[in-house]
Amino acid sequence: MTSFVKKVWVITVNTFREAVRDRILYSIVFFALLILALSTVMDIITIGQKSKIIKDVGLASISIFGTLIAIFVGIGLVYKELDKRTIYTIVAKPVTRFQFLLGKYFGLVLTIFVEVLAMGLIFVLIAFLATGSLDIRLFVAIGLTFLELMVVCGVAIFFSSFSTPILSGMFTLGVYVIGHTTRDLYEFSANFRGTFLEVFFKTLYYVFPNLDNFNVRPQVVHGLPIGPEYFLFSISYGVLYIAVLLILSSIIFTKRDFK
């Protein structure tokens, strides 16, 4: 393990331990498990839709609660170091700000991974017991949901590199909402050809992440195929967007004055 990776790994582990101790994390996980359990209750009142209800509610719960964890935990990671003034101790050591930011990001991603893994296993078990079969596409859907959450983590880290937790949370939530409507915004821009609004809506489409690229819930719920080319495209898109976010975050954080 090189010195660069070792320093990033130390910050990653410390960030993960700090996130696990956060009480918000446990309460959100509790509600996530509660929603997953409710999916089986809903099955009783929706006769004939057993498989669809469980898959739809389960996958939606993992996505929503994973996003809440990414936002609530992510927006405070950098601010806490500044508020407690521990950032001065860290930057005084041979650790670059890029390594610090990278460690914070991977610590948050590790936290999200553990949470998604726990919720995913419980969900797959519930779906298997309820339907009597194991749908392999559930793992694909959960994997792409995790990739979407990695992008949301990158957005949270980006805003927290120069803003307060409240503003970072609002901005990140705004990006999440727009990210799930960019395709509609692009189609909506056709109603304003040659005007400022057309440019505005198309700019939103190209600048903000298209989070629907990671959503295969309709295909899984309705039993439609998911091509490998779509899976590879989503991975490439997510990795590229995360890299851009981390580079921009690093540039901003490096130039930031802590005084």
Side-chain angles (χ1 to χ4, degrees):
M1 184 179 293
T2 64
S3 174
F4 181 91
V5 176
K6 187 176 181 180
K7 292 174 183 176
V8 172
W9 175 247
V10 170
I11 298 173
T12 297
V13 173
N14 287 333
T15 302
F16 174 73
R17 289 172 177 168
E18 181 184 348
V20 169
R21 287 195 295 265
D22 200 323
R23 293 181 179 179
I24 294 177
L25 196 62
Y26 291 115
S27 62
I28 293 175
V29 171
F30 169 76
F31 282 112
L33 297 177
L34 181 63
I35 290 296
L36 287 173
L38 283 177
S39 66
T40 57
V41 177
M42 291 176 65
D43 173 54
I44 299 175
I45 59 176
T46 54
I47 301 173
Q49 301 294 323
K50 185 177 183 179
S51 176
K52 292 182 180 178
I53 291 295
I54 291 177
K55 291 177 181 177
D56 198 21
V57 173
L59 290 174
S61 300
I62 294 174
S63 176
I64 292 172
F65 286 104
T67 300
L68 291 177
I69 293 171
I71 293 176
F72 280 108
V73 178
I75 59 176
L77 287 179
V78 176
Y79 180 79
K80 286 180 180 177
E81 301 290 352
L82 295 171
D83 188 49
K84 296 178 181 176
R85 299 186 180 279
T86 51
I87 187 69
Y88 298 105
T89 305
I90 296 174
V91 296
K93 296 179 180 178
V95 177
T96 66
R97 295 190 184 188
F98 176 64
Q99 289 172 322
F100 170 78
L101 207 63
L102 209 58
K104 286 292 181 184
Y105 172 75
F106 283 120
L108 178 58
V109 167
L110 182 59
T111 305
I112 296 296
F113 173 77
V114 172
E115 300 302 330
V116 170
L117 180 64
M119 289 189 289
L121 290 176
I122 293 171
F123 163 60
V124 171
L125 179 61
I126 291 175
F128 175 73
L129 294 176
T131 63
S133 62
L134 184 61
D135 189 349
I136 196 68
R137 288 170 303 181
L138 291 178
F139 295 100
V140 176
I142 294 172
L144 289 180
T145 298
F146 173 64
L147 189 57
E148 175 189 350
L149 295 175
M150 289 180 67
V151 175
V152 176
C153 289
V155 174
I157 289 291
F158 171 75
F159 286 120
S160 66
S161 66
F162 64 87
S163 185
T164 62
I166 294 177
L167 290 177
S168 297
M170 293 174 61
F171 292 151
T172 305
L173 187 60
V175 171
Y176 177 79
V177 173
I178 294 175
H180 277 288
T181 57
T182 53
R183 197 166 295 166
D184 297 328
L185 292 175
Y186 185 83
E187 295 175 357
F188 188 61
S189 68
N191 298 322
F192 306 96
R193 291 190 184 282
T195 66
F196 167 77
L197 289 177
E198 182 187 12
V199 177
F200 176 72
F201 286 124
K202 284 188 175 179
T203 300
L204 292 180
Y205 173 78
Y206 287 111
V207 172
F208 285 81
N210 187 350
L211 298 179
D212 275 345
N213 285 332
F214 310 108
N215 181 19
V216 292
R217 196 163 67 245
Q219 292 92 320
V220 174
V221 171
H222 297 288
L224 302 175
I226 305 172
E229 66 281 355
Y230 183 88
F231 188 66
L232 292 175
F233 166 76
S234 299
I235 292 177
S236 303
Y237 180 84
V239 171
L240 180 63
Y241 210 96
I242 291 168
V244 171
L245 284 171
L246 291 179
I247 291 172
L248 291 177
S249 303
S250 176
I251 293 173
I252 295 172
F253 193 64
T254 301
K255 295 181 179 297
R256 183 171 179 176
D257 187 1
F258 294 141
K259 295 181 180 178

